[in-house]
């Protein structure tokens, strides 16, 4: 939950690799967990022929819908509102840190108040984020409204306490030797399956505190309310279950384990020159630049620090001033997101998937279908065969970055994939190794 456990994909490149050229691309994403694929696909549009792209996003957990709306809003802010470096770091902190800087916490509250208005007023949504269409049930909209209101509420909330409770419960008697547990998981599991770019100091710091991305010149002290689950309105206050997200792999895989700039992947004496944090920031800066300018990004170093081999003193993070007194005062009109021509991002209720087979307008409709690894129960071969367009691509996320999985569990997952796609008659399998490949891919109706 809250972040994907596979690297981001350029979906237009995946369709193009199949040799299919169409004027309009319809993409179904079931359980994407975050908006990494959307961002990378939109960033790479300038590399391909200009086409209309429609994303249909289906999520069973509404907190991930709320988070995607927030992150898309940040990613598409114009440079006059957020500079490139500032945008990347705001995005990273809200994406993967339990604690954020005070300025980021204030920014989250402002954005949350805007999102409350967007989810309850369609005309306002069209004005600020014209490329987004929220096709959810009223009760789902009401829940999203509660989530956004909690983000900008003044309720006391200590996310460090929530993180530590779950950590103690998950580790049990191993809690007292947790640094050794973290080190084992990193070197014997995460590095083994392809996460070699994640450095020891940043991974163990995240496992201990929930703070994944850090910089020398900044200090975090405010709870990241966008990581809270199961928000329930209780009068003027809100009840919730705290943090219920993933606690073993971390938010590094989506943007931080690969890079076009090979200098960021350089290793010396078995040690990374750059952290996964640095790779993530560099990749996000590239995506955001390409989104806004539609041209190739040329990276410029902010500094010459190579922190991959550095060891930092890990202090015990404390939340400073859990609640914030007073209401939010907007000092200026909310900024309209970048205008993306010929793109629609539609958030659809998860129950709509099974009903698509009864709607003729969805027959032979989707050029690419994506299923998250935890959403295979929604993969119905009969439905897929009806809604998939000729020469479409089916992509299923692998679970190789789930650190609790060993070879046996991965082999069982591979069998589950085979069972799910068995009922799809017209398909061609792309060679897939469950221990090495990030995704299982199939060409449908070829």
């Amino acid at each position: 939950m809250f972040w994907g456990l596979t690297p981001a994909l350029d979906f237009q490149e995946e369709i193009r690799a199949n040799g299919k050229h169409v004027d309009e691309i319809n993409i179904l994403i079931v359980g994407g967990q975050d908006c990494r694929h959307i961002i990378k696909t939109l960033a790479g549009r300038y590399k391909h022929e200009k086409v209309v792209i429609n994303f249909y996003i289906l999520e069973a957990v509404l907190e991930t819908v709320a988070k995607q709306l927030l992150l898309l809003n940040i990613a598409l802010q114009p440079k006059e509102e957020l500079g490139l470096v500032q945008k990347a770091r705001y995005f990273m902190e809200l994406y993967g840190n339990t604690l954020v800087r005070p300025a980021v916490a204030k920014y989250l509250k402002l954005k949350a108040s805007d999102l409350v208005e967007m989810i309850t007023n369609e005309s306002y949504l069209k004005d600020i984020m014209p490329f987004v269409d929220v096709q959810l049930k009223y009760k789902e909209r009401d829940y999203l409204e509660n989530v956004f209101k909690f983000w900008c509420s003044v309720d006391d909330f200590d996310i460090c306490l929530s993180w530590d409770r779950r950590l103690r419960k998950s580790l049990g008697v191993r809690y007292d030797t947790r640094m050794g547990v973290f080190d084992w998981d990193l070197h014997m599991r995460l590095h083994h399956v392809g996460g070699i770019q994640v450095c020891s100091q940043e991974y163990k710091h995240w496992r201990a505190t929930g703070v994944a991305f850090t910089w020398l010149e900044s200090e975090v002290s405010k709870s990241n309310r966008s990581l809270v689950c199961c928000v329930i309105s209780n009068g003027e206050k809100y009840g919730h279950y705290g943090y219920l997200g993933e606690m073993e792999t971390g938010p590094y895989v989506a943007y931080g384990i690969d890079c076009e700039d090979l200098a960021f992947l350089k290793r010396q004496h078995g040690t990374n020159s750059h952290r996964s944090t640095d790779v993530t920031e560099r990749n996000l800066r590239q995506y955001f630049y390409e989104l806004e300018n539609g041209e190739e990004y040329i990276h410029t170093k902010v500094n010459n620090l190579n922190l991959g081999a550095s060891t930092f003193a890990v202090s015990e993070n404390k939340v400073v001033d859990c609640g914030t007194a007073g209401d939010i005062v907007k000092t200026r009109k909310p900024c309209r997101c970048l205008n993306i021509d010929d793109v629609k991002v539609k958030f659809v209720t998860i129950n709509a998937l099974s009903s698509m087979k009864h709607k003729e307008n969805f027959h032979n409709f989707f050029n690419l279908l994506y299923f998250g690894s935890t959403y295979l129960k929604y993969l119905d071969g009969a439905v897929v065969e009806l809604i998939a367009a000729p020469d479409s691509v089916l992509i299923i996320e692998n679970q190789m970055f789930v650190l609790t999985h060993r070879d046996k569990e991965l082999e069982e997952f591979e069998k589950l994939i085979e069972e799910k796609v068995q009922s799809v008659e017209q398909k061609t399998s792309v060679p897939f190794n469950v221990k090495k490949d990030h995704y299982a891919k199939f060409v449908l109706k070829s």
Side-chain angles (χ1 to χ4, degrees), residues 187 296 330 429:
H187 290 96
E296 184 179 0
K330 294 186 179 181
S429 301

Side-chain angles (χ1 to χ4, degrees), residues 92-306:
M92 290 169 67
E93 288 190 48
L94 291 172
Y95 177 67
N97 281 7
T98 53
L99 293 178
V100 298
R101 290 172 290 162
V104 179
K106 182 179 179 181
Y107 188 79
L108 173 62
K109 288 178 180 289
L110 291 171
K111 285 299 173 186
S113 64
D114 291 339
L115 288 167
V116 170
E117 184 71 19
M118 290 182 205
I119 205 67
T120 56
N121 186 343
E122 289 191 12
S123 61
Y124 186 78
L125 175 63
K126 297 301 180 186
D127 185 44
I128 304 299
M129 301 177 72
F131 56 91
V132 169
D133 187 7
V134 179
Q135 300 177 0
L136 299 176
K137 298 178 180 178
Y138 285 114
K139 65 178 182 180
E140 294 172 329
R141 287 173 175 266
D142 291 341
Y143 184 79
L144 285 177
E145 182 183 359
N146 281 337
V147 171
F148 294 139
K149 284 183 176 179
F150 172 75
W151 290 1
C152 56
S153 70
V154 296
D155 292 7
D156 289 347
F157 171 53
D158 187 346
I159 198 169
C160 293
L161 182 61
S162 176
W163 181 275
D164 190 64
R165 282 175 179 166
R166 286 201 62 210
L167 188 62
R168 288 175 181 272
K169 185 174 182 179
S170 64
L171 294 181
V173 295
R174 299 185 299 163
Y175 180 82
D176 291 336
T177 57
R178 55 191 178 279
M179 287 302 171
V181 175
F182 303 158
D183 194 64
W184 174 272
D185 287 344
L186 175 67
H187 290 96
M188 303 305 293
R189 292 299 304 148
L190 186 55
H191 283 181
H192 180 69
V193 297
I196 193 70
Q197 195 60 41
V198 183
C199 298
S200 177
Q201 47 92 359
E202 63 181 340
Y203 178 77
K204 289 194 285 188
H205 183 61
W206 172 75
R207 286 290 299 270
T209 65
V211 179
F213 306 116
T214 58
W215 296 272
L216 293 177
E217 67 274 18
S218 63
E219 184 175 356
V220 293
S221 60
K222 300 288 185 180
S223 293
N224 182 359
R225 291 172 177 264
S226 68
L227 292 179
V228 172
C229 303
C230 304
V231 177
I232 304 170
S233 176
N234 182 19
E236 295 182 355
K237 294 185 177 293
Y238 295 89
H240 55 79
Y241 281 78
Y243 179 78
L244 298 179
E246 191 269 332
M247 295 185 67
E248 293 178 343
T249 305
Y252 303 108
V253 179
Y255 306 103
I257 63 172
D258 198 9
C259 186
E260 293 180 4
D261 190 344
L262 297 181
F264 276 79
L265 306 180
K266 186 178 179 181
R267 290 172 59 83
Q268 292 181 333
H269 309 296
T271 304
N272 297 329
S273 295
H274 293 83
R275 304 170 297 165
S276 180
T277 299
D278 305 319
V279 176
T280 299
E281 182 179 359
R282 190 259 179 241
N283 284 335
L284 286 174
R285 287 171 63 181
Q286 174 183 340
Y287 298 155
F288 296 159
Y289 178 87
E290 292 173 344
L291 267 171
E292 186 163 10
N293 298 283
E295 61 184 26
E296 184 179 0
Y297 170 74
I298 300 175
H299 182 68
T300 303
K301 285 188 177 182
V302 177
N303 56 55
N304 294 317
L305 296 176
N306 294 335

